[in-house]
Amino acid sequence: MQIVVGVAVVRGERVLAAYRPGPEGGWEFPGGKVEPGETEAQAAARELREELDLEVEIGASLGPGVDISDKYRLHVYRATIVTGEPVRREHAELRWFAAAELVEADWLVPDRPFVRALRDQL
C-alpha cells in the first residue's frame, strides 16, 4: 500500500487548505506520495516545499490512516511554517480556514476524518 501524506499547516487558529478542481474536487490538505527511502515527515516537508514554496516543521499525526483506494492510504500531520508564504502552484485555490469554517462536506472524502480531528484541536 502506497502512503500519501497530507499536511495541515496551522497558523494561529487557522489551517491552510488547497482546492482540487474537477468533478470529484474539493478542499484537501496539501501533500503527496511518500517516495522510497523517505519518512512520512520528510515526504510531507518535501511536498510542501514543491507545491507551496513553504518550509515547514512537521508535527503530530491527526489520527490513523484512511484508505483512499485499495492502493493508497492517507496520513495527515499538523505542521507550522518555518519560512515562506504559501504560493499556489498546483491547486485552483488556497485558503486559510478558521475552525468554525471547517465544513466537512466541502472536503475530499479521505480528508474528512482529519478535518474533524483538527477542528476539535483548533
Side-chain angles (χ1 to χ4, degrees):
M1 174 112 11
Q2 170 75 55
I3 300 297
V4 176
V5 290
V7 184
V9 178
V10 177
R11 178 189 278 167
E13 296 180 3
R14 296 187 176 274
V15 63
L16 183 64
Y19 191 81
R20 180 181 295 197
E24 296 182 21
W27 291 103
E28 67 179 352
F29 295 111
K33 296 176 187 167
V34 177
E35 300 293 337
E38 282 185 316
T39 66
E40 291 180 19
Q42 289 169 333
R46 175 186 51 77
E47 287 287 345
L48 265 67
R49 191 176 312 112
E50 292 172 0
E51 288 185 12
L52 302 174
D53 201 24
L54 288 178
E55 292 296 329
V56 296
E57 181 177 328
I58 303 300
S61 169
L62 288 176
V66 171
D67 290 347
I68 298 172
S69 69
D70 60 345
K71 295 180 182 178
Y72 298 103
R73 178 172 293 142
L74 175 65
H75 293 194
V76 177
Y77 293 86
R78 283 184 68 140
T80 55
I81 296 175
V82 175
T83 59
E85 286 296 321
V87 175
R88 184 177 55 83
R89 291 187 176 156
E90 298 185 13
H91 295 88
E93 185 178 349
L94 298 175
R95 180 174 165 198
W96 291 98
F97 283 90
E101 298 171 320
L102 292 173
V103 179
E104 294 167 40
D106 296 338
W107 289 72
L108 297 178
V109 172
D111 290 74
R112 292 177 187 176
F114 303 107
V115 170
R116 284 192 295 273
L118 185 61
R119 188 177 54 218
D120 293 342
Q121 294 178 20
L122 291 179

